[in-house]
Amino acid sequence: VDEALGYYSRALALNPNLTNTRQYLGEAYLQKNEVAKAKIELAVIERICGSNACQDYRDLAEVIAKYEAKG
């Protein structure tokens, strides 16, 4: 996961509006039990492409909800 975080960071440095990369980054944060960071990525995705119309937002929101439901 740590190696992937580096790749995601480099991709976002080139284009910070890559919502699919931000979605994967958020999922990686959840694997590291860093929910707050995943939620930050979700908020950024929402600013870029909205919530209802944006598949990347919906996908990450669903994964976060499942993560939180597990407690």
Side-chain angles (χ1 to χ4, degrees):
V1 173
D2 289 328
E3 183 178 348
L5 292 175
Y7 290 118
Y8 298 147
S9 293
R10 282 181 261 182
L12 292 171
L14 295 172
N15 183 351
N17 293 322
L18 294 172
T19 58
N20 62 335
T21 302
R22 289 194 177 279
Q23 175 201 343
Y24 299 143
L25 179 58
E27 292 178 13
Y29 284 140
L30 291 176
Q31 290 180 23
K32 294 179 58 102
N33 297 313
E34 297 180 355
V35 182
K37 288 183 179 181
K39 288 182 176 182
I40 290 170
E41 294 307 320
L42 185 65
V44 173
I45 293 170
E46 184 176 26
R47 282 196 306 270
I48 294 168
C49 67
S51 56
N52 292 332
C54 184
Q55 185 66 46
D56 294 325
Y57 177 91
R58 291 192 313 267
D59 289 347
L60 182 55
E62 181 180 337
V63 173
I64 290 171
K66 287 180 182 178
Y67 178 90
E68 291 181 324
K70 286 197 280 184

